[in-house]
Amino acid sequence: MPTSIYPYLAAVPVNLLPICSDCNFEKKDRVPTRYEEQTLHPYFDEVDDDRWLRARLITRSADGRVYRAKPLDSPAGWLIEFYVDPPTSWDARFAERVRFHFEIFKLAPLFEDQAADDLPGIELSIEEAFQAGGAPDVRAHLEGLARSRARLHKNSWMVALYEELAAHDWFCSGGFRQVAAG
């Protein structure tokens, strides 16, 4: 709860959470008016048991239309998009709360920036996998990266990214070169 509105809660242990300055700024003095507008509490809200963070690789034609690029295509543009995909076992109100948290803290653009920084760093290992065995080896390499990251944090942006890239035939068949080039 914002200390500017509830100063007496400033030192209550349950309200003392480490938060970066960017997130604290985004949170501002917002007070939820309904359950779905509450941000998640890292100690009380269980969101790590289920997969809910996903990514999609979007490719665009020269006229700007979204289409699913195929191997050997040269799309005019591409982007990685992160989104909340709650499991069907979740209560609808809780799913909305996770979406709200994701939006209020602007996690999609944050993860997209992190992915843009990460992809050039793994380009060499992807190229080596491609040279060794083509698209199947690229796919296996990316799936291995996703499994490795998921052991600690199944909702890591890296897990979502690597799973999506592994599932995309265009990316695994050489599209990774276009993505790595920017």
Side-chain angles (χ1 to χ4, degrees):
M1 300 303 283
T3 57
S4 63
I5 298 171
Y6 302 100
Y8 53 90
L9 294 177
V12 175
V14 75
N15 196 44
L16 295 175
L17 297 172
I19 186 169
C20 73
S21 61
D22 291 343
C23 290
N24 198 38
F25 178 77
E26 293 302 334
K27 186 173 70 74
K28 298 181 180 130
D29 289 339
R30 184 173 285 112
V31 177
T33 58
R34 52 192 195 108
Y35 173 80
E36 294 85 354
E37 293 175 352
Q38 295 177 22
T39 56
L40 299 173
H41 193 293
Y43 303 133
F44 301 122
D45 292 312
E46 295 293 325
V47 294
D48 293 332
D49 293 339
D50 299 305
R51 278 295 306 281
W52 56 266
L53 180 63
R54 305 285 178 192
R56 70 180 128 241
L57 172 59
I58 299 170
T59 50
R60 295 189 183 274
S61 62
D63 63 4
R65 286 182 296 120
V66 171
Y67 80 106
R68 180 114 176 145
K70 295 180 174 56
L72 305 179
D73 281 357
S74 293
W78 61 271
L79 65 97
I80 305 290
E81 180 179 86
F82 289 88
Y83 62 99
V84 173
D85 181 29
T88 57
S89 61
W90 281 8
D91 171 80
R93 292 177 65 217
F94 184 68
E96 266 317 298
R97 198 166 152 216
V98 173
R99 282 189 191 96
F100 179 81
H101 184 95
F102 193 76
E103 290 169 17
I104 205 74
F105 290 115
K106 298 182 170 122
L107 296 179
L110 174 66
F111 296 160
E112 290 158 13
D113 287 348
Q114 290 174 326
D117 288 344
D118 183 65
L119 287 171
I122 63 170
E123 178 192 11
L124 178 60
S125 65
I126 294 173
E127 181 65 48
E128 288 173 346
F130 186 77
Q131 294 303 321
D137 281 18
V138 170
R139 183 169 288 108
H141 176 65
L142 292 165
E143 288 169 346
L145 289 173
R147 278 192 313 277
S148 179
R149 299 290 193 258
R151 289 182 65 197
L152 291 176
H153 303 287
K154 63 176 88 168
N155 287 299
S156 157
W157 64 266
M158 288 181 276
V159 174
L161 174 67
Y162 300 149
E163 284 182 348
E164 171 60 12
L165 297 179
H168 208 289
D169 291 337
W170 169 77
F171 184 88
C172 293
S173 298
F176 63 86
R177 293 181 181 119
Q178 186 174 343
V179 170

